[in-house]
Amino acid sequence: DYAIEMADQHVLLEGFMAPPLKAESSFFVLTKMPMSVCPFCDDAADWPRDIVSIYARDTVTVTPFNVPIEVEGMLKIGTYTDEELGFVSRVRVVDAADWRA
């Protein structure tokens, strides 16, 4: 309900940075609970249902998986496939300019 209500608006979300898919990227996944293992890297792990893809303006400085962060940006909903990573998202924050512990 929140995502639909806030679509195409500026949001501030809290969560944890999942281990990144690749170094020196402007993309990461925000999770509600800390995840020490990247599910793409471990077949036994599953992505939780409450994740948000984050597309930052700049290269992401990785934050340890167990440190809570806040992310600001524009909330977008609808299915989107990242051409570079092949990652499919249904909810994402774009033009994220700030994430901090």
Side-chain angles (χ1 to χ4, degrees):
D1 290 339
Y2 178 80
I4 292 169
E5 179 182 326
M6 296 302 293
D8 299 320
Q9 295 185 54
H10 185 84
V11 294
L12 173 65
L13 301 178
E14 299 174 351
F16 297 87
M17 184 183 290
L21 299 174
K22 71 178 211 172
E24 298 188 19
S25 176
S26 61
F27 170 82
F28 68 94
V29 173
L30 188 71
T31 64
K32 186 175 180 179
M33 301 299 294
M35 294 186 68
S36 63
V37 176
C38 167
F40 284 128
C41 305
D42 182 352
D43 292 340
D46 290 319
W47 279 116
R49 294 181 51 95
D50 55 4
I51 66 169
V52 178
S53 303
I54 307 296
Y55 290 91
R57 288 184 190 169
D58 300 310
T59 301
V60 172
T61 300
V62 176
T63 301
F65 76 93
N66 60 347
V67 174
I69 62 171
E70 294 179 335
V71 177
E72 294 182 70
M74 182 73 61
L75 185 68
K76 297 289 185 180
I77 61 172
T79 303
Y80 171 77
T81 303
D82 184 294
E83 291 181 17
E84 180 183 349
L85 301 170
F87 188 86
V88 177
S89 65
R90 305 221 31 185
V91 179
R92 66 206 148 279
V93 172
V94 299
D95 202 28
D98 193 22
W99 52 95
R100 60 190 175 279

